[in-house]
Amino acid sequence: MPEISISGVWQNVKGPSDLSSFRGLGTSRITWGQPAETDTSSYEFEGGTNNVDVDGTAWVLGTFTHYNYPIIAPFERFTVDLYITATVANGPTRDLTITFDHYESPNRGPEAAQADEVTVQPLSIDDKWRALRFVKIEGVESDMIFEGFYSHDTQVLNQKYRSPENKSNMADLHVRLARYNGPR
């Protein structure tokens, strides 16, 4: 099985009219908002190296951490791009942008209602969970299929990630590869 290395940086925030509270663009950790207490909220992405197989089982693209702490923010929703670089050992390097949708809860009501929600925007028009021709491995063009967020806390795989307030929440981004079979 070939080895693939993944890295990623956050870029291109959209949504709020005032983007001045966002810091860390172009790095693996982006923060936003004015802390209501001591910590601010942030996203962090940690890629890694995996042995993968086309038409194989799911694997971890990287670990997504949402440091979710009460903040003062004049917005509830924003999007931010995770610009991923995938390098195949003895092979090509490909880039992919995954857009994350973020809902910043107002932190009122029962504890369960205070969780922020994170989803991934469609990767393509034809199949919202499939990035077409993501990477070429041993001469085979491969699509990447997003399986979901695998929560470290709940040990459940979901398309939507609910991130409880006042803690660091980690989820692995599970993906798998499938052969590209031409235009869709």
Side-chain angles (χ1 to χ4, degrees):
M1 281 190 271
E3 189 176 84
I4 187 169
S5 297
I6 303 293
S7 63
V9 296
W10 300 101
Q11 299 181 1
N12 195 31
V13 176
K14 291 182 183 172
S17 57
D18 179 8
L19 300 176
S20 64
S21 74
F22 289 87
R23 294 167 298 285
L25 290 173
T27 71
S28 62
R29 186 168 183 173
I30 181 176
T31 65
W32 62 88
Q34 176 186 343
E37 296 167 5
T38 57
D39 295 312
T40 190
S41 287
S42 62
Y43 282 172
E44 186 171 26
F45 178 78
E46 183 180 338
T49 301
N50 293 284
N51 291 315
V52 298
D53 195 12
V54 176
D55 297 323
T57 59
W59 50 280
V60 177
L61 182 72
T63 300
F64 166 75
T65 304
H66 178 206
Y67 299 89
N68 189 8
Y69 296 101
I71 60 169
I72 299 166
F75 58 84
E76 288 184 350
R77 297 184 184 279
F78 65 88
T79 64
V80 62
D81 294 338
L82 178 60
Y83 183 79
I84 291 175
T85 300
T87 304
V88 178
N90 302 317
T93 296
R94 294 277 175 96
D95 299 318
L96 171 71
T97 300
I98 300 176
T99 302
F100 285 66
D101 282 320
H102 181 88
Y103 168 69
E104 183 73 35
S105 73
N107 300 325
R108 293 188 296 270
E111 187 174 322
Q114 295 181 30
D116 291 358
E117 292 181 354
V118 183
T119 56
V120 171
Q121 285 188 1
L123 298 177
S124 69
I125 294 170
D126 300 321
D127 183 340
K128 68 180 187 175
W129 304 116
R130 184 182 293 254
L132 300 178
R133 300 177 76 178
F134 169 64
V135 71
K136 190 174 190 175
I137 296 179
E138 296 179 342
V140 177
E141 290 282 353
S142 304
D143 297 349
M144 181 192 76
I145 301 166
F146 181 71
E147 296 285 323
F149 295 92
Y150 182 81
S151 170
H152 286 207
D153 287 340
T154 64
Q155 298 183 345
V156 173
L157 184 69
N158 283 309
Q159 297 292 326
K160 180 187 289 187
Y161 184 58
R162 292 188 46 79
S163 178
E165 193 70 29
N166 261 328
K167 61 185 265 189
S168 299
N169 304 294
M170 297 174 76
D172 292 331
L173 302 178
H174 281 219
V175 299
R176 65 182 168 86
L177 297 180
R179 292 175 190 273
Y180 172 73
N181 290 320
R184 290 181 165 71

